[in-house]
Amino acid sequence: MTVRHHDGVRTELSDGHWRGVQQGWLVGPDGRRYVRRTTRTRRKEGDRLVVDGAPLVLVYWAGNQLDRLDGIDAHEQWQTTRPRVTTEEPRRKGDIEWTAGRWEDDEGRPLLLLTGHC
């Protein structure tokens, strides 16, 4: 599995990293450990987090892939993905829908994690 950084570089992750996300924690490329705080973050909260500079992580369950974006890349991806973010159970209609969650490191710095469902 891979993580895409803001500079477009992809980093391979071990199965242990993937299991961490499934268990509610994630270690970023900066070594910070984030834990899940909420699994149903609304779009307006996502807007605020991204504008305030929180990293954006997209999780594609079917492909065991993580994409992490920062800065302008996070903002652009959020604008593209935002209309398909739902706080309800995703509808199974073929298109990818996303649930958003707020994750935080030990110092309370947030990360917005989107989980893709299709």
Side-chain angles (χ1 to χ4, degrees):
M1 108 198 50
T2 60
V3 172
R4 185 180 65 193
H5 304 285
H6 68 280
D7 57 5
V9 174
R10 289 185 175 264
T11 304
E12 292 296 321
L13 295 179
S14 69
D15 288 339
H17 284 94
W18 184 250
R19 281 191 298 275
V21 171
Q22 292 173 321
Q23 295 170 3
W25 59 271
L26 171 68
V27 176
D30 55 6
R32 292 185 184 141
R33 185 175 192 267
Y34 294 88
V35 294
R36 181 176 43 231
R37 297 291 181 221
T38 65
T39 58
R40 298 287 187 229
T41 300
R42 298 188 177 276
R43 291 180 191 142
K44 285 187 179 190
E45 173 69 3
D47 292 341
R48 189 183 65 73
L49 291 171
V50 171
V51 166
D52 288 348
L56 178 66
V57 174
L58 286 82
V59 176
Y60 302 91
W61 286 105
N64 288 3
Q65 179 179 333
L66 304 173
D67 284 348
R68 177 193 162 108
L69 301 109
D70 297 292
I72 191 69
D73 293 332
H75 181 74
E76 289 173 357
Q77 182 64 54
W78 173 245
Q79 293 306 310
T80 300
T81 310
R82 185 187 189 280
R84 295 182 307 229
V85 170
T86 180
T87 57
E88 306 296 322
E89 284 298 315
R91 297 177 302 273
R92 304 291 183 204
K93 63 181 182 182
D95 293 335
I96 292 179
E97 289 186 320
W98 300 89
T99 53
R102 180 188 175 106
W103 295 42
E104 294 178 358
D105 70 7
D106 291 338
E107 296 177 20
R109 288 178 288 220
L111 173 145
L112 182 62
L113 188 132
L114 304 180
T115 303
H117 308 269
C118 56

